[in-house]
Amino acid sequence: MAYGSLEERAHETSYARCLSFLLAAHGFSFHMEDVQADGRADVVAEHPCGIYIFELKVDESALFALEQVKAKNYDAPYRARNQSIWAIGLSFDSKTRHLTGAVHERLG
């Protein structure tokens, strides 16, 4: 019997699932694969203190993930709310499965 993942490489959804557990434990409501007009944000977390849009990348830079959030306007559906909006790019290494980068920017 094999334990653990049978795939050689962990996908973005594996990391997004772990992130969602952490967010839920800290009182955030969240949506995974939040469908937008020009794509899907990996995780959108909502809390009274703000809205957090996470884009995760494996073997790519966190800055690339952050730029995707801005280029595809993932914050558009949330702009009318009177809350701060943060874009967060996270990058992971497929070999070590560790977080290798994180960047953030306030969008609104």
Side-chain angles (χ1 to χ4, degrees):
M1 173 179 250
Y3 292 97
S5 176
L6 298 177
E7 297 180 21
E8 289 182 25
R9 180 183 139 122
H11 298 279
E12 292 171 4
T13 53
S14 300
Y15 299 106
R17 217 175 2 253
C18 293
L19 175 60
S20 69
F21 296 143
L22 292 170
L23 292 168
H26 287 88
F28 288 80
S29 62
F30 62 90
H31 309 281
M32 292 179 63
E33 296 291 325
D34 191 43
V35 177
Q36 306 287 330
D38 195 21
R40 288 184 284 192
D42 289 329
V43 178
V44 175
E46 298 182 51
H47 192 271
C49 62
I51 298 168
Y52 303 85
I53 303 168
F54 292 87
E55 186 62 32
L56 288 65
K57 295 294 178 192
V58 177
D59 295 332
E60 296 183 64
S61 75
L63 185 58
F64 179 70
L66 178 70
E67 292 301 322
Q68 179 178 328
V69 172
K70 296 189 305 184
K72 295 194 174 196
N73 294 312
Y74 288 162
D75 61 317
Y78 307 101
R79 287 185 198 146
R81 298 183 189 183
N82 192 20
Q83 288 184 288
S84 60
I85 302 172
W86 291 86
I88 303 167
L90 302 175
S91 62
F92 298 88
D93 181 276
S94 64
K95 290 183 173 65
T96 64
R97 297 186 181 200
H98 291 167
L99 177 69
T100 56
V103 293
H104 66 277
E105 183 177 321
R106 186 173 180 164
L107 302 178

